Amino acid sequence: MTPSFVGAILSSRAFFIFARVVFTFIFWGAGIGKIVDYQGTLAEMAHFGLNPPQVWAPLVIVTLLVGSALIIVNRFAWLGCGMLAVFVALTIPIAHPFWTLPEPEATHHFHTFAEHVTVIGALMIAAILCAGAPRAARLLQTGG
């Protein structure tokens, strides 16, 4: 049984907005950081073989910021979750190819891979929750 004060917080519109802002911080924070250090972003794109970096950098920034915004405002949140999940999935072979690296570097990148898979799962859950309370409640009641 959920305590009433916890239930009140969890059913609060303000808390749901705040949760979406906090949840997407890693993405919109990275997008802002890439704008602030645009030369570093171009160098990062080139480092990972994303050429020409002048094309890839804006695409990455737009993906991070638009995907986050869609989730935060809860309009087409499923699309924002999908954008960010695909982005995270693509970073695995591009930036964390643990299967090609020697130890101990491989282990470090494997842990990052595992974290990325977890983030993708969280984005999947966020898409379900943002789709609406009745759908999410039905899934929770039936056990999925």
Side-chain angles (χ1 to χ4, degrees):
M1 174 81 73
T2 305
S4 60
F5 76 95
V6 174
I9 292 169
L10 295 177
S11 63
S12 162
R13 182 176 185 274
F15 185 75
F16 190 36
I17 294 168
F18 177 69
R20 293 191 312 266
V21 170
V22 171
F23 174 63
T24 57
F25 172 74
I26 192 170
F27 300 111
W28 59 260
I32 291 170
K34 289 183 182 315
I35 291 170
V36 170
D37 182 18
Y38 195 70
Q39 291 305 311
T41 300
L42 292 173
E44 179 184 39
M45 298 298 121
H47 170 76
F48 289 115
L50 298 171
N51 292 305
Q54 297 81 359
V55 170
W56 288 101
L59 289 174
V60 166
I61 291 167
V62 167
T63 299
L64 293 170
L65 296 179
V66 170
S68 297
L70 292 172
I71 295 168
I72 291 168
V73 300
N74 201 16
R75 297 289 184 258
F76 299 102
W78 59 269
L79 178 60
C81 290
M83 291 169 64
L84 296 175
V86 169
F87 172 81
V88 171
L90 289 174
T91 66
I92 294 168
I94 293 170
H96 305 289
F98 63 91
W99 56 92
T100 67
L101 301 171
E103 289 296 343
E105 192 178 3
T107 298
H108 169 75
H109 284 273
F110 175 79
H111 290 299
T112 302
F113 156 77
E115 291 170 0
H116 281 40
V117 170
T118 302
V119 169
I120 292 167
L123 286 160
M124 295 162 80
I125 292 170
I128 293 167
L129 293 174
C130 289
R135 177 178 290 159
R138 186 178 71 249
L139 289 170
L140 289 171
Q141 288 172 350
T142 63

